[in-house]
Amino acid sequence: MNFEIPVSNKPASTFTFKALALLPAFFLISPSALAAVIIGAGEDVTIGPGEPLSDYVVNNGGVLNVLGATTQSLTINRGSILNIDGGIINGNADGHGILFVEGQGNIRNAIVTADAQALWVARDPSATQGSTVTATDSQFRGGETGGLVTGLSTLTLINSQLIGTDSGSLGLDSRGGYVSALAGSLISGDIVGVQMTNDASGPGVNTLLLDGSTVEGRNGPAILVKDGVQGATIQVQNNSVLRAGDGNLLKVQGASSASMNVVNSALEGNVQVLENSNVDLSFNAGSMVGDILREDGSTANVTLNNGSSFTGRLNNSNLSLNSGSSLTMVGDDSIDTLSLNDGKVSFGAAGAARAFRQLDVTNLDGSGIIEMKGNFATGESDLLKAGTATGSYELSVEASGKDATSPHELTLVQVDNNQAAFSLLGGRVDVGTFEYDLVERASATGGTEYFLSPTTKLSAGAKSVAALYQTAMTVSYGELKALENRMGELQANEHLYGLWVRPYANKWNVDQGSSGVGYTQQQQGFSMGADARLDDSFWRVGVLAGYSKSDLDLDRGTSATVDSYYFGPYFGWMDPQSGYYVDGALKFNRFRNEAKVTMSDGKRAKGDYDNSAVSAMVEAGRHIDLGNDWFAKPSAQLSAAVIQGKDYRLDNGMEAQGDRTHSLRTKLGVTAGRSLQWGDSHVRPYGRVALIHEFASNDNVQVNGNQINNDLSGSGVEVGTGITISMSEKLRFDVGVDYAKGKDIEQPVAATFGVSYQW
C-alpha cells in the first residue's frame, strides 16, 4: 500500500510509506516528533492551560481532549478521537498542524497555524472510509495549505476559516472529499481558493457545499478543478460569495467535469472551461454577472430556474431559461442551443445607452420574451439569427414618445429553418404618435424574417392626449345635468329661499373609429347651491359650487384623471298662469388633468396640466297641465362652452398641442309625468325624451405635430326617468336616471340624487 503525505502543494514534494502502520514512526524519528506524547487504546487524556508544548499522537481508538491548551502538532490515527474546546496549535518543525487518518474530530474555538499544512483530513489508501471532522468558530492558517481533504473524508466548517497564507498557497486542497462551509465560513488561498484534484488511489467525489460562506482566490480563481477530475459537485447557496483575483470564479481544465448549483446567491466573475472539459451550471433564484469562456472541444450547459438571471457572454454554451429567468446580453454573442420556458432574453440592460447587438443561435426552442431595441429613424436594430427555431416568442421592443424623423422598417429576427411563431408583446410598438406592427416575410436566403413596419394607428400616448383634451367637454356636460334637474325644481317652488345638494355619477363610452381614439370615462361629483326669490316677482337667483372627478380608461393599462372645481350663478323665471319658464346658468371651471400611459414595452410615461373653462346654459319651455294631475313640459335648451387650450409634454418626450375647445349644443325635448298624493307625501314620477345636436367639430389636437381628429359633433338622443318626493312643504328628495347615445359617444348611465330644503 502507498500513502502520500504532501509536505508541500508542489507535486514532487511527497513522502511514500509502505503501510499506514509505519505512519507514527515518521513522527517518532523526525526531529519534531522525538518528544511526542503517545496516547494509545483505551486512554482518554485531557490537557489544559499550562501543559508543556508537545506533539501528540493518538492511536488505536484513544481520545485526546484539548481544553484551552497550547500545543504543537496533533496526529489522530485510525478510530481515534480529538476534541478541542479552546486551544492554540502552533504546528511542528515540519510545518504540520493537525492530521487525521481515519480519525474523528470535534474542534471548537481553536487557532491552528503551520508553516505548511494547517489541517489534514485523510485516510489510508486501502480504507473504505476516511476521517470526519467538524470545526466551529476556528481558524486554520497554513503557509502552503489551509486544509487538505482526501477521498471518503468529510470536513464541516461552521463559522471557521481555512487560509493559505503564503505566496502560491491554497485555501483548500480537496482530493475527492466532502467539504461543507457553513454560517460565515471563509476558505482563502493565494493562487486558488479551493483546488479539486483526484485522490491518489481514486475513490471519492469532490463535493463542496457553501452555505452563507465565502471562497476566494486572492490572486487566482476561486475554485479550480483539474487533472481529469470527474463529477465534482459545487453547491453555492444562501448568499454565499465566490471571489477571484483573476476574475475566474470557476476554472475547469485538464479533461475534467464539474457541476455548480447557485441558490439564492449572487456571483460576479467568469467561468472558464478549458482543455476538453465540461461544466454544468444551474441557478435557482440566483444570479451571475460575468462571462462563460469555453474553449473549442469543451462544453458548458447553463440552466436558470425560478427567476434567476445571467448577465454576460455565453460563447457558444447551451442555455435554458425557465420559470421567469433571464439572460441580459452585454455584446454580440452566440449560443448553441437556447431553450426558453417562460424565460426572457434581453439584448442589453434596460435604459442603458448601447450599440445594437446580434445573437446567433444554432437551435432555438420553447416559449418566452425577447427584449430588443431599434432606431426607427435609421433602421438599425438588435438582431436575432437562428438556424432552426420552434416554439412561440413575444418580441418586446423599446417604445418611444418621439416620432421617427424618417420612419424605417426594422428587421428583428432571421431564421433559416423556421417552425416558430413570433409576435409583439402587447401587440404593437409605440413610436411617438403611431404604432408599428410586426410583419413576416421570406428572406433573400430562403428563410424567414420578421420586421417592424409603421402604421397609421395611434399610440397609447397619442390616445391619452386626445382623450384628455376631449374629456373637458363631457365633464362639463355631466355637471350641467345636475343643474338642469335643480332648475326644474325652481319652476314649482313657491318658497322664498332654498338650499340643495346633488351628488351624481356619469359614465361615457367614446369610440371614434376614424381616429382610433376610444376610452371609457366615469365621473363622480356633487353640486350644491343656495337660491332665493326676488321679492314677490317670478324671478329666482342662486349660486352653485361643486367638484367632480373623472377617471378615463384607455385600455392596455393607460389611464387619465380630471379633477374639476366649479362655481357660478343661475336664475329661473316662470309665469304660473301660462306655465312659460326660462332658466339659465353660468359656470366657471378649473381642471387638473393627468395622464398615465403604459407604452407597448410596459414602461410608464406621465404628464399633467391645468386649464380653465367657462360654460353657459339657457332653457325655455312651458309647463302644461293636462288634467287629472298629469303634466307635460316641452323645452328647448342651448348650451355653450369654451375650454382653454394648453400645450404640455409627457415625460417620454411626446409633445401635445391643444387649441381652445368649443361646444355649442342644442336640446329639444319633452318631459311628462303625474303628481300623486301618497299619504302625507307628494310624489311626482316622470319620464323624458330629447334630441341633442353638437355643432362644434374641434379638430384642434396635435401630437408631435400630427393632427388628430377630436370631433364629437353630431346628433343623438337622450331618454330618462325619475321621481320627486316631497316629504313636507320644506323637504324634498328626487332621483333620476338617464341614457344618451350620439355619434361616437354613448352615455349608458347618468344618475343623480337630490335633497333640497326650502322655506
Side-chain angles (χ1 to χ4, degrees):
M1 294 183 293
N2 292 329
F3 183 77
E4 295 184 349
I5 302 175
V7 177
S8 166
N9 61 0
K10 302 176 178 61
S13 300
T14 62
F15 290 100
T16 304
F17 295 86
K18 292 298 182 182
L20 182 62
L22 299 177
L23 182 63
F26 166 73
F27 291 95
L28 292 174
I29 64 175
S30 66
S32 62
L34 291 176
V37 177
I38 307 299
I39 300 171
E43 293 186 82
D44 190 329
V45 177
T46 299
I47 60 174
E51 295 282 346
L53 289 176
S54 299
D55 297 300
Y56 288 82
V57 178
V58 186
N59 295 321
N60 302 319
V63 177
L64 174 62
N65 304 299
V66 179
L67 304 178
T70 300
T71 72
Q72 294 182 160
S73 67
L74 306 177
T75 302
I76 314 301
N77 287 318
R78 180 180 300 166
S80 301
I81 298 174
L82 171 66
N83 298 310
I84 299 179
D85 191 354
I88 298 175
I89 292 83
N90 292 319
N92 58 26
D94 296 315
H96 309 302
I98 304 178
L99 169 63
F100 291 87
V101 181
E102 298 169 47
Q104 296 182 37
N106 188 0
I107 302 171
R108 185 180 296 274
N109 298 315
I111 299 176
V112 183
T113 58
D115 292 338
Q117 289 81 22
L119 176 66
W120 296 358
V121 184
R123 51 174 273 281
D124 174 24
S126 64
T128 59
Q129 65 181 25
S131 298
T132 301
V133 177
T134 299
T136 305
D137 300 327
S138 298
Q139 296 182 26
F140 303 89
R141 305 175 71 87
E144 296 181 359
T145 307
L148 181 148
V149 182
T150 65
L152 306 181
S153 294
T154 299
L155 171 62
T156 301
L157 302 172
I158 303 172
N159 190 33
S160 296
Q161 298 180 357
L162 287 183
I163 300 177
T165 58
D166 293 351
S167 176
S169 65
L170 310 177
L172 169 65
D173 188 353
S174 178
R175 303 187 178 187
Y178 186 98
V179 178
S180 299
L182 315 175
S185 295
L186 169 66
I187 302 174
S188 175
D190 177 57
I191 59 171
V192 176
V194 174
Q195 177 176 282
M196 293 183 174
T197 57
N198 288 312
D199 188 285
S201 58
V205 177
N206 281 285
T207 302
L208 175 65
L209 168 63
L210 302 177
D211 190 318
S213 297
T214 300
V215 171
E216 66 175 3
R218 298 189 297 275
N219 292 293
I223 302 174
L224 172 63
V225 183
K226 66 176 189 175
D227 298 339
V229 166
Q230 298 299 307
T233 301
I234 303 160
Q235 178 87 0
V236 182
Q237 65 187 37
N238 295 330
N239 298 310
S240 292
V241 176
L242 301 181
R243 284 197 293 263
D246 67 352
N248 294 311
L249 305 179
L250 174 63
K251 188 174 182 179
V252 183
Q253 63 188 40
S256 301
S257 68
S259 61
M260 184 166 74
N261 186 30
V262 180
V263 181
N264 291 320
S265 298
L267 304 184
E268 292 189 25
N270 303 325
V271 173
Q272 278 194 320
V273 193
L274 311 172
E275 302 168 357
N276 300 311
S277 296
N278 177 73
V279 166
D280 291 325
L281 294 175
S282 61
F283 295 80
N284 192 336
S287 67
M288 177 174 167
V289 178
D291 297 333
I292 296 177
L293 308 173
R294 183 191 67 84
E295 273 188 350
D296 289 342
S298 297
T299 60
N301 303 305
V302 185
T303 302
L304 278 69
N305 298 307
N306 296 325
S308 297
S309 65
F310 180 88
T311 301
R313 292 181 173 87
L314 288 159
N315 187 29
N316 288 313
S317 301
N318 299 313
L319 175 64
S320 295
L321 297 173
N322 306 316
S323 54
S325 298
S326 63
L327 162 68
T328 300
M329 296 169 55
V330 297
D332 292 344
D333 206 355
S334 57
I335 298 175
D336 282 348
T337 298
L338 174 59
S339 298
L340 280 74
N341 180 17
D342 187 28
K344 181 173 68 175
V345 175
S346 298
F347 277 65
R354 59 176 175 81
F356 298 110
R357 298 181 177 129
Q358 179 172 319
L359 175 61
D360 292 287
V361 178
T362 304
N363 296 294
L364 174 65
D365 64 73
S367 62
I369 296 172
I370 301 174
E371 294 183 339
M372 312 179 81
K373 188 176 182 180
N375 186 325
F376 294 87
T378 65
E380 298 175 286
S381 66
D382 294 324
L383 178 63
L384 170 64
K385 298 187 71 173
T388 299
T390 59
S392 60
Y393 308 92
E394 292 182 294
L395 306 180
S396 176
V397 182
E398 188 172 89
S400 172
K402 297 181 179 180
D403 285 29
T405 306
S406 178
H408 282 74
E409 295 178 350
L410 270 67
T411 300
L412 302 178
V413 179
Q414 293 178 337
V415 185
D416 295 335
N417 179 17
N418 185 44
Q419 302 171 41
F422 291 87
S423 60
L424 286 176
L425 182 66
R428 88 285 186 200
V429 178
D430 292 338
V431 183
T433 310
F434 302 104
E435 296 180 355
Y436 278 62
D437 283 345
L438 187 68
V439 181
E440 178 184 352
R441 66 186 172 194
S443 65
T445 59
T448 304
E449 65 181 18
Y450 294 85
F451 66 96
L452 291 176
S453 180
T455 72
T456 58
K457 301 175 186 175
L458 291 180
S459 66
K463 290 178 182 178
S464 72
V465 168
L468 267 184
Y469 282 130
Q470 198 173 68
T471 301
M473 221 190 315
T474 50
V475 169
S476 184
Y477 290 166
E479 294 167 351
L480 284 175
K481 170 61 69 175
L483 183 59
E484 285 181 26
N485 292 342
R486 173 56 184 170
M487 304 297 264
E489 292 180 2
L490 289 180
Q491 298 157 15
N493 191 346
E494 298 178 355
H495 295 83
L496 291 176
Y497 308 105
L499 296 174
W500 57 273
V501 60
R502 303 190 69 87
Y504 54 88
N506 300 296
K507 182 177 180 179
W508 286 271
N509 298 322
V510 177
D511 184 9
Q512 293 178 279
S514 58
S515 65
V517 177
Y519 59 90
T520 298
Q521 176 187 346
Q522 297 194 56
Q523 180 187 30
Q524 299 85 35
F526 68 91
S527 295
M528 59 184 179
D531 45 60
R533 186 152 53 93
L534 298 180
D535 298 328
D536 293 329
S537 69
F538 300 152
W539 290 91
R540 299 186 70 88
V541 295
V543 62
L544 69 97
Y547 165 80
S548 73
K549 181 174 183 178
S550 293
D551 295 292
L552 278 68
D553 182 1
L554 291 94
D555 298 329
R556 295 175 174 176
T558 295
S559 61
T561 59
V562 181
D563 291 285
S564 172
Y565 304 86
Y566 56 92
F567 72 96
Y570 62 91
F571 71 90
W573 174 89
M574 180 178 179
D575 181 357
Q577 298 298 324
S578 63
Y580 288 105
Y581 70 90
V582 176
D583 298 327
L586 184 64
K587 181 166 65 73
F588 301 92
N589 284 76
R590 183 65 175 173
F591 300 117
R592 174 65 179 171
N593 308 272
E594 182 176 1
K596 295 179 180 178
V597 179
T598 299
M599 296 186 292
S600 57
D601 59 0
K603 295 178 182 176
R604 298 281 285 177
K606 61 182 180 180
D608 58 74
Y609 66 97
D610 295 341
N611 63 333
S612 302
V614 59
S615 57
M617 177 192 73
V618 62
E619 179 178 301
R622 184 183 181 190
H623 191 284
I624 303 173
D625 187 353
L626 300 178
N628 199 25
D629 297 324
W630 288 90
F631 69 91
K633 186 175 70 174
S635 62
Q637 182 188 109
L638 177 66
S639 59
V642 178
I643 300 161
Q644 179 187 13
K646 202 68 175 281
D647 297 346
Y648 76 105
R649 180 186 180 96
L650 296 180
D651 58 10
N652 65 354
M654 178 172 286
E655 303 278 352
Q657 302 87 31
D659 296 332
R660 286 181 180 174
T661 299
H662 299 86
S663 173
L664 181 61
R665 192 174 68 154
T666 58
K667 181 190 293 188
L668 300 176
V670 61
T671 300
R674 189 179 186 187
S675 298
L676 302 172
Q677 195 68 32
W678 187 20
D680 294 334
S681 301
H682 186 74
V683 179
R684 187 175 64 171
Y686 63 88
R688 61 185 169 213
V689 62
L691 297 177
I692 305 172
H693 185 81
E694 173 63 63
F695 292 92
S697 58
N698 292 309
D699 287 329
N700 55 359
V701 178
Q702 294 185 15
V703 177
N704 293 344
N706 298 294
Q707 190 79 25
I708 295 178
N709 180 9
N710 207 33
D711 183 10
L712 284 179
S713 62
S715 299
V717 63
E718 178 183 278
V719 295
T721 185
I723 188 171
T724 299
I725 303 175
S726 299
M727 304 299 296
S728 67
E729 290 187 0
K730 295 183 177 181
L731 184 62
R732 179 179 296 173
F733 298 91
D734 70 273
V735 62
V737 179
D738 294 276
Y739 169 85
K741 182 74 171 70
K743 177 187 175 185
D744 299 330
I745 184 170
E746 177 190 29
Q747 188 177 22
V749 62
T752 62
F753 175 76
V755 180
S756 61
Y757 183 80
Q758 48 272 327
W759 67 97

